[in-house]
């Protein structure tokens, strides 16, 4: 689908946890801007990523948290963010896993919020087609399953991991947006900062290295960020980051015997940050305990979740 006139608008990427929303963002942008993990709550903030195609259109993709039953203030804040986004967008891409046999409780929660908060048309995006034997059978099955719950305007099959179908999705989305001018300057790529990207990379490495008990309770806050661009006398990026957990035992897990776990997390994060920013990084990590931070309005505001 192509568009004869320039089109622009905001598009929410929604779906239950672990369907590949962040991986899709990275595939659309051609660069890793959003962290990826098989563990729930990887995405905690609604973040905008902008793609501009000269003479075609500009799409503001919004990566959203996967919803589940909110058990704490952080979960409620994530849900509030998502609902506010769905009220404003021009289009919703509802992402599902090609292996899904039937929508579950998390799908039901997401679809309920979507119907309540948005009248935007919906594109059903069937991701992970590289993991099924017959993508067309998966399409037929999932269109039937979700078609009972959602008024589907278009369907796109893709693999965010391999890139198959990603360009088709972008063309489909542009063609469904309203005619209009640029929403952001053409060089603009998103509403995130370098500091935010670094925080997310550190959290990603924690998710990769720790077991189920720790990831839900972890937050990362960068307290010092001194880059060569801001400080011309420096030839490296200095980052001091605090890692917050809720229990002393979680702190022990993150630090590890003889500090080995924290050293491993720091090394992997530093390598990724250097790859992203292009200059040497000195990374100073500290683990701190904040009991019940996910239910503290004060802590959530300080960490940027409220």
């Amino acid at each position: 689908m192509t568009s004869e006139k320039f089109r622009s608008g905001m598009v929410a990427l929604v779906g239950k946890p672990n369907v590949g929303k962040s991986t899709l963002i990275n595939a659309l942008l051609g660069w890793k801007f959003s962290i990826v993990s098989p563990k729930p709550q990887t995405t905690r903030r609604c973040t905008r990523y902008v793609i501009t195609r000269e003479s075609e259109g500009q799409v503001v993709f919004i990566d959203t948290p996967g919803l589940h039953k909110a058990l704490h203030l952080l979960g409620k804040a994530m849900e509030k963010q998502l609902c506010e986004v769905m009220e404003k967008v021009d289009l919703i891409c509802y992402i599902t896993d090609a292996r899904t046999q039937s929508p579950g409780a998390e799908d039901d929660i997401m679809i309920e919020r979507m119907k309540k908060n948005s009248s935007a048309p919906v594109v059903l995006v069937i991701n992970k087609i590289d993991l099924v034997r017959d993508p067309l059978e998966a399409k037929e099955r999932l269109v039937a399953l979700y078609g009972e719950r959602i008024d589907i305007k278009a369907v796109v099959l893709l693999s965010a991991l391999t890139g198959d179908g990603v360009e088709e999705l972008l063309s489909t989305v542009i063609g469904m947006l309203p005619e209009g001018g640029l929403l952001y300057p053409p060089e603009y790529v998103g509403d995130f900062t370098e500091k935010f990207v670094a925080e997310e990379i550190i959290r990603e490495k924690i998710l990769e290295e720790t077991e189920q008990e720790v990831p839900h309770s972890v937050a990362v806050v960068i307290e010092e960020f001194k880059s060569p661009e801001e400080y011309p006398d420096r030839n490296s990026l200095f980052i001091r980051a605090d890692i917050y957990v809720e229990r002393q035992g979680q702190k022990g897990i993150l630090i590890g015997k003889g500090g080995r776990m924290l050293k491993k997390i720091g090394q992997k994060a530093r390598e990724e940050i250097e790859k992203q920013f292009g200059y040497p990084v000195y990374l100073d990590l500290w683990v701190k305990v904040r009991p019940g931070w996910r239910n503290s309005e004060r802590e959530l505001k300080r960490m940027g979740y409220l």
Side-chain angles (χ1 to χ4, degrees), residues 99-136:
R99 298 169 294 179
T100 300
Q101 295 301 312
S102 64
E106 290 169 327
D107 275 299
D108 291 338
I109 292 172
M110 184 67 73
I111 291 170
E112 178 191 347
R113 301 296 188 273
M114 189 169 70
K115 288 181 174 180
K116 182 179 179 181
N117 293 280
S118 181
S119 58
V122 178
V123 178
L124 181 65
V125 180
I126 301 173
N127 189 22
K128 305 187 182 182
I129 59 169
D130 54 310
L131 301 180
V132 296
R133 183 176 300 175
D134 188 347
L136 293 180

Side-chain angles (χ1 to χ4, degrees), residues 183-199:
L183 300 175
Y184 293 93
E187 67 277 6
Y188 190 77
V189 293
D191 62 359
F192 48 86
T193 63
E194 288 186 335
K195 181 179 173 182
F196 170 76
V197 173
E199 285 177 343

